[in-house]
Amino acid sequence: MADARFQDADPAPLALLASDVEDLTVIATLAQDAVLPVTEIAYDGRQRQLALLLNRFRWEDAEAARRENRPYERVRAVLLVRDVVRVQSDGIDRADKDLILELLTLQWQAGEDGAGLLLLEFAGDGTLVIDAECLNVELRDVTRPYVAPSGKLPQHPDT
């Protein structure tokens, strides 16, 4: 029997928490190019949280997939924002149940006493603006990875 190799291990699901801008940058990088139907956004005012069920591109595996000549992968993940005071959307038609969103980035605009605005920016100029008491964002993979339907690495044309 051959020795086990690191690359033979099952990929561990991500479970990350951001409570500062540096942590948020990591989550933003890993969530970039995630896609989701607008129907997979849920705000619970009593629990004071916003949840998005994403189809996340596995950026952390992209280089290995390219090097090993195997398909790129996506995984279902939950992006959970806690301590939410209010959620507003700009340029997102929540009534369009067929609308698919592509997440570009997350940005934190600090306010007073730890509060601030978390901006979730989507392709096509749509933005969710989350008024929060503090920066408290979790990204958690909830399924096993699957082959990316497009089979391609997401591209970002120069603007």
Side-chain angles (χ1 to χ4, degrees):
M1 183 159 117
D3 289 338
R5 299 178 308 156
F6 176 76
Q7 52 267 42
D8 293 333
D10 287 334
L14 286 181
L16 302 173
L17 180 64
S19 58
D20 62 35
V21 174
E22 288 179 10
D23 295 340
L24 186 65
T25 301
V26 172
I27 287 178
T29 299
L30 292 169
Q32 182 178 13
D33 299 307
V35 292
L36 70 152
V38 73
T39 56
E40 296 291 352
I41 300 172
Y43 174 58
D44 184 338
R46 287 194 319 218
Q47 294 288 325
R48 299 181 38 211
Q49 62 186 22
L50 176 74
L52 294 85
L53 183 59
L54 310 172
N55 296 299
R56 184 179 72 76
F57 185 83
R58 293 190 67 232
W59 285 107
E60 69 277 17
D61 182 62
E63 179 57 30
R66 185 197 60 74
R67 188 175 55 251
E68 296 166 12
N69 197 31
R70 60 178 169 78
Y72 294 113
E73 296 176 335
R74 286 191 174 266
V75 65
R76 300 276 282 176
V78 172
L79 182 69
L80 183 63
V81 183
R82 292 188 175 96
D83 302 308
V84 174
V85 176
R86 178 180 52 191
V87 178
Q88 297 177 301
S89 63
D90 182 28
I92 298 172
D93 183 1
R94 297 288 310 262
D96 181 357
K97 303 301 182 196
D98 295 326
L99 180 61
I100 302 297
L101 300 171
E102 180 182 357
L103 184 62
L104 298 178
T105 193
L106 293 87
Q107 294 183 11
W108 178 250
Q109 294 179 352
E112 293 183 23
D113 297 329
L117 298 176
L118 178 65
L119 307 177
L120 278 65
E121 298 179 15
F122 297 93
D125 297 324
T127 304
L128 284 179
V129 180
I130 303 158
D131 188 354
E133 287 184 353
C134 62
L135 182 54
N136 187 351
V137 178
E138 180 180 342
L139 179 64
R140 180 177 301 274
D141 291 347
V142 294
T143 67
R144 294 188 54 81
Y146 59 91
V147 173
S150 72
K152 299 178 183 174
L153 187 72
Q155 299 295 312
H156 301 113
D158 297 331
T159 54

